[in-house]
Amino acid sequence: AQSVTQLDSQVPVFEEAPVELRCNYSSSVSVYLFWYVQYPNQGLQLLLKYLSGSTLVKGINGFEAEFNKSQTSFHLRKPSVHISDTAEYFCAVSEDDYKLSFGAGTTVTVRA
Amino acid sequence: DADVTQTPRNRITKTGKRIMLECSQTKGHDRMYWYRQDPGLGLRLIYYSFDVKDINKGEISDGYSVSRQAQAKFSLSLESAIPNQTALYFCATSDRGEKPQHFGDGTRLSIL
């Protein structure tokens, strides 16, 4: 069965600094990987996805993630954050085309 | 207008009451899902439906039931609400063969 571990529950960061959110997964088969963002009082919005092909995936709002099969990781990065990036971020994994397993979430707080 | 609409957005009720949360979508997707979000646990799948006649239990279906009234409508019921069902509930949709899911803005349910 698939599972996801987000290694940091809270990440404080200063505006214009880089940020990395770590995600590790476990699965016995090939997986599809996703990062979602949840802004306050809103639903989840897809940031980016890895289905196949290039292991470096670019998403919306300047985010990117790298799939590392040997380390079973899918870490999310942004080189320079803005106040508006303050949100909760979820890593998710799927072994098929419908069931998603989510990590516990990482709260990013961007300070001026 | 939102593609995935959940009603109500907020609900406070008492233990033992019957509650129905509703979800409607304009995306024309076949698949619909109900999740609950608890702090520190991420999102967990309650039920999912591939079409009107195909409904399946997720990982935490006990205490919940669902109804797929039409392709566009999927409701979640708590027959006799209990306090540990206090959570944020999300509806999501996806198209057949499309892996990312699309989320509504959530229903915040408090059971006293």
Side-chain angles (χ1 to χ4, degrees), chain A residues 19-93:
Chain A
V19 70
E20 179 180 78
L21 308 185
R22 297 178 294 167
C23 173
N24 286 95
Y25 68 92
S26 65
S27 174
S28 57
V29 299
S30 296
V31 296
Y32 309 108
L33 295 155
F34 308 86
W35 275 98
Y36 284 87
V37 60
Q38 183 181 25
Y39 299 106
N41 299 313
Q42 294 186 26
L44 277 71
Q45 179 182 355
L46 182 69
L47 271 179
L48 49 78
K49 61 188 178 189
Y50 171 79
L51 304 181
S52 65
S54 173
T55 57
L56 183 62
V57 179
K58 294 189 182 298
I60 62 171
N61 301 339
F63 285 93
E64 64 179 31
E66 186 158 18
F67 169 55
N68 188 318
K69 187 175 182 179
S70 63
Q71 297 187 6
T72 60
S73 67
F74 191 54
H75 300 334
L76 180 71
R77 301 183 183 95
K78 185 169 182 177
S80 176
V81 296
H82 303 290
I83 298 289
S84 59
D85 291 322
T86 294
E88 189 160 19
Y89 293 79
F90 292 95
C91 182
V93 63

Side-chain angles (χ1 to χ4, degrees), chain A residues 87-101:
Chain A
E88 189 160 19
Y89 293 79
F90 292 95
C91 182
V93 63
S94 177
E95 295 177 344
D96 47 42
D97 68 348
Y98 59 96
K99 279 189 183 177
L100 283 175
S101 292

Side-chain angles (χ1 to χ4, degrees), chain A residues 32 34 36 38 41-46 49 51 88 90 96-105, chain B residues 9 31 33 35 37 40-43 45 48 50 88 90 94 97-101 103-105 108:
Chain A
Y32 309 108
F34 308 86
Y36 284 87
Q38 183 181 25
N41 299 313
Q42 294 186 26
L44 277 71
Q45 179 182 355
L46 182 69
K49 61 188 178 189
L51 304 181
E88 189 160 19
F90 292 95
D96 47 42
D97 68 348
Y98 59 96
K99 279 189 183 177
L100 283 175
S101 292
F102 285 86
Chain B
R9 290 296 313 277
R31 299 175 175 184
Y33 312 79
Y35 293 88
Q37 181 184 9
L41 295 179
L43 280 75
L45 183 63
Y48 60 101
F50 285 168
L88 184 56
F90 284 105
S94 69
E98 179 194 54
K99 296 171 183 59
Q101 293 177 14
F103 286 80
D105 285 340
R108 188 169 298 279

Side-chain angles (χ1 to χ4, degrees), chain B:
Chain B
D1 288 339
D3 294 323
V4 183
T5 302
Q6 293 184 235
T7 56
R9 290 296 313 277
N10 293 280
R11 180 77 184 269
I12 301 173
T13 191
K14 295 182 179 180
T15 298
K17 294 290 188 181
R18 185 179 186 275
I19 306 299
M20 179 180 286
L21 309 182
E22 298 188 351
C23 176
S24 62
Q25 52 123 342
T26 58
K27 300 183 78 64
H29 288 168
D30 290 327
R31 299 175 175 184
M32 299 186 74
Y33 312 79
W34 275 105
Y35 293 88
R36 65 176 281 175
Q37 181 184 9
D38 298 278
L41 295 179
L43 280 75
R44 292 178 291 166
L45 183 63
I46 306 172
Y47 270 95
Y48 60 101
S49 169
F50 285 168
D51 63 37
V52 174
K53 296 181 180 179
D54 187 353
I55 293 178
N56 306 277
K57 293 183 178 180
E59 60 180 305
I60 55 163
S61 59
D62 287 350
Y64 301 95
S65 63
V66 291
S67 173
R68 184 86 183 263
Q69 301 95 324
Q71 187 204 34
K73 296 183 182 295
F74 192 36
S75 60
L76 176 72
S77 294
L78 288 68
E79 296 301 326
S80 180
I82 56 176
N84 74 2
Q85 291 176 313
T86 292
L88 184 56
Y89 289 84
F90 284 105
C91 175
T93 73
S94 69
D95 207 0
R96 192 177 310 169
E98 179 194 54
K99 296 171 183 59
Q101 293 177 14
H102 304 266
F103 286 80
D105 285 340
T107 294
R108 188 169 298 279
L109 178 62
S110 297
I111 300 164
L112 306 177

